[in-house]
Amino acid sequence: MPALIAHHIFGEDILSELPQGLVEGEEELLAFLLGNQGPDPLFARFSTLPSRAATCHALAHEIQSGHMTRSLLALRDGVAHLPRADERVGRAFALGVLGHYAFDRAAHPFVIAQQRALCDVEPTLAGLEREVHAIIESDLDTWILWEKRRATICERPAATNLMRTARTERVAGALLSQVALAVFGTVIDPREYVAAVRDYEFVYRMIEPAGTLRARAAALAERTLRGTALAAASSHYVRRTDECPAANLERHAWTHPFTGEVRTDSAADLFDEARLAYPALAEAFVRGNEARLRELVGGLDFAGRPATDD
């Protein structure tokens, strides 16, 4: 955690933490919830030339891995340069991206700790760290969907968490292209993000629910063409229970992978930690208070890892 479903539910929950009137209307809501997916859709880009897909994947990795304060301020600056008619949609998307960051940095050390523990005790998992990580996230996704919404992916398919309009796509693509150029020196067509979201949606429609004939066929195609099982590992099973060992509801001890700190937080605890941290981040972001934003970021990247934050 967090993956697509958890990020969407987190976005729904933190919306109430924003001052009234900051996000209004259906289109701004869709932009905010799409922003809560952060740069993740860029990792799903596949229906294009390999070089373009690689650029999208590299950009997503760069956004997640450092220069957090610069990236957030570049995102804010990008909103200010949008056409006036698009500013509110752009701000809603940017606030959503901030939500993605808040949740990621709180939860990823927990997932990585589990991933490493599993790979350490099971030698056959060597080289499959990404797949193990995705399986943990998908398990937590379905748990949080049931625990918070009493729903399964039958009632709320993962792909439906990517609802958007043509304007939300266009504005989001423009903003991320601005961040790419201003912070990382990467030139990327804004339409690549638009296409990446569509690829992300297509993948989830193909691989779910897990275990279906279509999902098995998609997994076979992935192994044949790419030699991986990442998409299959990301698929969701239908869950109708509050039990979830991956959520650590018994609060067993785990070790933070980047600090060595021994913690006992559950997935629910970390969800609340991120939710409580979000309002202060959002206020500093909206006000453009760089010193305060840098203090709240604390040098942590999306994985909760100390990183370059110049």
Side-chain angles (χ1 to χ4, degrees), residues 118-261:
L118 287 170
C119 291
D120 284 346
V121 301
E122 181 48 71
T124 61
L125 295 177
L128 297 174
E129 290 82 3
R130 292 179 66 201
E131 286 83 354
V132 173
H133 190 102
I135 288 171
I136 296 168
E137 288 189 333
S138 66
D139 200 28
L140 290 167
D141 255 12
T142 54
W143 168 75
I144 206 167
L145 178 59
W146 181 255
E147 194 271 338
K148 284 192 168 287
R149 300 294 185 265
R150 278 300 184 260
T152 74
I153 59 166
C154 295
E155 294 84 40
R156 289 183 53 158
T160 63
N161 293 325
L162 297 170
M163 292 178 64
R164 59 208 181 274
T165 66
R167 179 158 67 164
T168 57
E169 288 183 322
R170 172 173 52 79
V171 171
L175 289 175
L176 289 181
S177 293
Q178 167 67 18
V179 172
L181 182 61
V183 181
F184 305 104
T186 298
V187 177
I188 186 169
D189 191 312
R191 292 171 294 185
E192 287 298 328
Y193 174 77
V194 175
V197 174
R198 294 173 184 174
D199 282 351
Y200 202 30
E201 181 180 51
F202 174 81
V203 167
Y204 269 101
R205 291 196 185 281
M206 291 299 297
I207 64 175
E208 299 203 327
T212 62
L213 181 61
R214 182 174 61 186
R216 291 198 298 269
L220 177 61
E222 182 188 24
R223 286 193 296 269
T224 301
L225 296 174
R226 303 180 63 184
T228 67
L230 188 59
S234 302
S235 64
H236 299 97
Y237 285 91
V238 176
R239 175 191 294 274
R240 293 187 178 90
T241 175
D242 291 315
E243 295 181 7
C244 180
N248 193 33
L249 301 178
E250 297 81 12
R251 293 184 171 82
H252 299 300
W254 54 276
T255 302
H256 193 294
F258 308 122
T259 67
E261 178 188 6

Side-chain angles (χ1 to χ4, degrees), residues 87-121:
E87 282 184 0
R88 289 189 60 92
V89 168
R91 184 176 64 186
F93 176 78
L95 286 166
V97 173
L98 188 65
H100 183 95
Y101 167 69
F103 195 13
D104 256 11
R105 73 172 188 182
H108 266 297
F110 173 71
V111 175
I112 293 169
Q114 291 194 60
Q115 165 204 313
R116 291 182 178 179
L118 287 170
C119 291
D120 284 346
V121 301

